[in-house]
Amino acid sequence: SKQWYQRRVRVSRNNETHAPAPSHISHHDIKVPVRNGQTAAGDHIKTLFDCDLPSDKENETFVKCLEKAQLKGPGIRFVVIGSENYVGKWLNGGRRGHGLNYQCFAQQFVSSPVGPGQRNFFEQTLLLGEVQYDDITKQLNDMAQAEGIEQTNIKYGENKVYDRMVEEASIRCQRRLANIVRCIARCSLRPICISGGNEDILGLGYGVHLGRTIARGTPSNLTLGNFDCHGDYKNLEERGAHSGNGFSFLNTIGILKKYAVLGLTPYENRESMMEQLISTNCWYRYLDDISLIGAPNRPSLHDSLLDMIRALESENDEVPGLCVDLDVTEDLSTVSCPATIGFTRAQVHELVQEFTRYNKPFFLLLAEGMPDPMIPLTEGINRTLGKYQAGLVSCFLRNCISVPHI
């Protein structure tokens, strides 16, 4: 049948586990177009109700509800969460974005057709919602207005008072994200974060560290792989947590055991940052040093990936994670810093697939997506961005599903 109907996926279905969500989680109404007789991922993905802001005590209730949900049916193993704020990107000189990336992703993710063997991993996925930072940014705006600071087109370094305000706001945003991720990782659930900026690796990584430490009873450090044209390993300087120093921040606080980045472009990474990567024994490989056409004097993309995975191997019980900065994708305009050269979407998809098979990452971060606010989220380049991210998450889920539950 060519008839279409709209299926509304909001926050729950009749067979769901209802539980209070942790602080500052919101959901969006999503209309899912599905042909009669067909099913979409939204028919199988689990969700939670919208809630008021709970106290720390209610966070414990949230943890108990997650633990209970693991025992029902196929059980929950993955939790998808959105996170986007402009302060981290502003501190790094990037474009602010419009807070639409998670909605753009979620629309395409729940609309994904369910193919052979895919129902299983969708049923084990919880679409939690999006972390809200409106109160933090509102407080920042109120403080700036009280100081008589005009925020339009202001840049870092032009007003030291405002710089300190934004730095504090950025740290608060990362603490909020870390608090929610901690609850997820404590239940041995694998978080998948759809982020507007790469600074969220700080909150995501720190939350995983705390949660897994509680669950295991021993300190759980991280080994992180990153597909990115930028190293994001800048000196901490005085700018707080921003999209260019998330990994170096984790290293400074002592929880990043190993770090490897693939796809760097030489003309977009400063010498001082590369020296810091080398001094802390991080692995990296430039895009220029990879042969995409089979040149005999350079390693292939597959060989480079295997070198990256070997560099992240550890005898200790660290928690592995994967970050994909969408900037590494060539000719993708709906990102915060579009690249003229990079990997194709098909290559990034295969990199995620092979890395997940070999390295078995506990969590995933997709960063830097930035939909065009002048175009509907389900049309044109925004639809391409949403389907691209949904495809990467589905690839991660599919290749993680055979990994034992930890």
Side-chain angles (χ1 to χ4, degrees), residues 82-385:
S83 174
E84 184 169 7
N85 66 81
Y86 71 82
V87 291
K89 288 189 285 189
W90 182 87
L91 285 168
N92 197 32
R95 296 190 290 170
R96 295 192 174 200
H98 305 277
L100 299 173
N101 190 40
Y102 177 75
Q103 297 178 54
C104 182
F105 154 79
Q107 176 68 59
Q108 300 302 325
F109 186 56
V110 301
S111 302
S112 302
V114 179
Q118 293 182 343
R119 177 176 176 176
N120 188 26
F121 63 75
F122 283 132
E123 287 180 339
Q124 298 184 47
T125 302
L126 169 66
L127 198 63
L128 182 60
E130 185 173 9
V131 184
Q132 292 298 301
Y133 304 103
D134 293 348
D135 58 317
I136 296 177
T137 54
K138 183 180 184 301
Q139 184 178 11
L140 174 62
N141 294 335
D142 291 344
M143 292 170 61
Q145 187 175 2
E147 294 287 340
I149 300 173
E150 175 56 50
Q151 299 182 77
T152 306
N153 298 324
I154 189 172
K155 296 181 179 179
Y156 187 88
E158 295 179 352
N159 188 308
K160 291 185 177 180
V161 174
Y162 185 70
D163 293 346
R164 299 291 89 76
M165 291 179 184
V166 181
E167 289 169 9
E168 293 175 3
S170 181
I171 293 296
R172 289 179 61 196
C173 290
Q174 295 310 308
R175 284 176 179 167
R176 176 168 297 175
L177 177 59
N179 180 54
I180 295 170
V181 173
R182 172 179 57 85
C183 296
I184 297 169
R186 175 180 168 181
C187 299
S188 298
L189 301 177
R190 299 171 181 267
I192 299 171
C193 183
I194 310 301
S195 167
N198 231 0
E199 70 276 4
D200 283 339
I201 190 61
L202 175 58
L204 177 62
Y206 190 61
V208 167
H209 162 73
L210 293 175
R212 299 308 298 147
T213 297
I214 294 172
R216 291 174 167 177
T218 58
S220 298
N221 293 328
L222 310 175
T223 59
L224 298 179
N226 184 21
F227 302 135
D228 200 341
C229 57
H230 308 98
D232 293 337
Y233 210 78
K234 293 180 179 179
N235 291 322
L236 299 190
E237 307 170 78
E238 299 178 353
R239 295 198 179 198
H242 61 72
S243 59
N245 68 5
F247 295 96
S248 52
F249 214 116
L250 289 173
N251 180 68
T252 299
I253 61 179
I255 64 174
L256 181 60
K257 182 71 174 179
K258 291 187 177 184
Y259 175 52
V261 55
L262 179 66
L264 297 178
T265 49
Y267 49 83
E268 293 189 14
N269 292 275
R270 294 182 179 178
E271 183 179 0
S272 58
M273 189 202 70
M274 299 307 299
E275 291 175 350
Q276 186 164 336
L277 274 172
I278 296 171
S279 66
T280 52
N281 297 317
C282 298
W283 183 94
Y284 67 90
R285 183 156 294 169
Y286 287 117
L287 183 64
D288 290 3
D289 294 332
I290 302 170
S291 174
L292 302 178
I293 60 173
N297 58 335
R298 287 177 293 165
S300 67
L301 181 57
H302 183 258
D303 289 341
S304 297
L305 176 63
L306 292 180
D307 290 342
M308 177 186 191
I309 293 169
R310 281 191 285 267
L312 292 172
E313 289 177 352
S314 176
E315 297 179 357
N316 299 319
D317 199 18
E318 279 85 25
V319 181
L322 173 61
C323 174
V324 181
D325 189 325
L326 300 182
D327 291 354
V328 79
T329 312
E330 68 176 4
D331 297 328
L332 188 66
S333 59
T334 45
V335 292
S336 60
C337 184
T340 55
I341 62 169
F343 299 128
T344 65
R345 288 195 287 270
Q347 287 170 337
V348 174
H349 186 277
E350 189 169 1
L351 285 171
V352 171
Q353 174 176 298
E354 295 303 308
F355 186 93
T356 305
R357 284 179 178 174
Y358 283 101
N359 191 259
K360 301 177 177 58
F362 181 76
F363 63 94
L364 172 68
L365 173 69
L366 296 185
E368 304 292 346
M370 194 167 75
D372 188 336
M374 304 305 293
I375 302 175
L377 292 180
T378 57
E379 297 180 9
I381 56 177
N382 288 343
R383 182 174 184 271
T384 299
L385 174 65

